[in-house]
Amino acid sequence: MKRKDPIMSERLAEELYKQPGTNKQIAQRIGCDPSNISDWENGRYMPTAYTLKGMYEAGIDVIYILTGRRTKK
């Protein structure tokens, strides 16, 4: 069963929107399938820990996505 968190999905969409490039390019940087991005943004699924690690390595504020607290200035 997938847990849904609409607020977390909104923060995820907000962070991904800031990223340069297309969803395909963003997906390549974080190591996922491009179709996953729309699933996350729409709250159908949430990223795995492996994918969150890829997001972090791509410069996405993962702590903000998870908690709502900014870690970057």
Side-chain angles (χ1 to χ4, degrees), residues 16-34:
L16 292 175
Y17 182 76
K18 294 178 185 178
Q19 295 298 304
T22 64
N23 279 358
K24 183 176 180 178
Q25 292 167 328
I26 295 167
Q28 287 175 333
R29 284 197 302 276
I30 63 178
C32 71
D33 189 271

Side-chain angles (χ1 to χ4, degrees), residues 11-61:
R11 292 191 300 257
L12 176 57
E14 178 185 342
E15 287 300 294
L16 292 175
Y17 182 76
K18 294 178 185 178
Q19 295 298 304
T22 64
N23 279 358
K24 183 176 180 178
Q25 292 167 328
I26 295 167
Q28 287 175 333
R29 284 197 302 276
I30 63 178
C32 71
D33 189 271
S35 66
N36 291 351
I37 292 176
S38 65
D39 286 340
W40 301 331
E41 291 174 337
N42 292 308
R44 286 187 286 270
Y45 299 100
M46 294 308 298
T48 65
Y50 177 80
T51 304
L52 288 170
K53 180 180 181 279
M55 288 180 185
Y56 174 80
E57 291 170 350
I60 296 170
D61 192 349

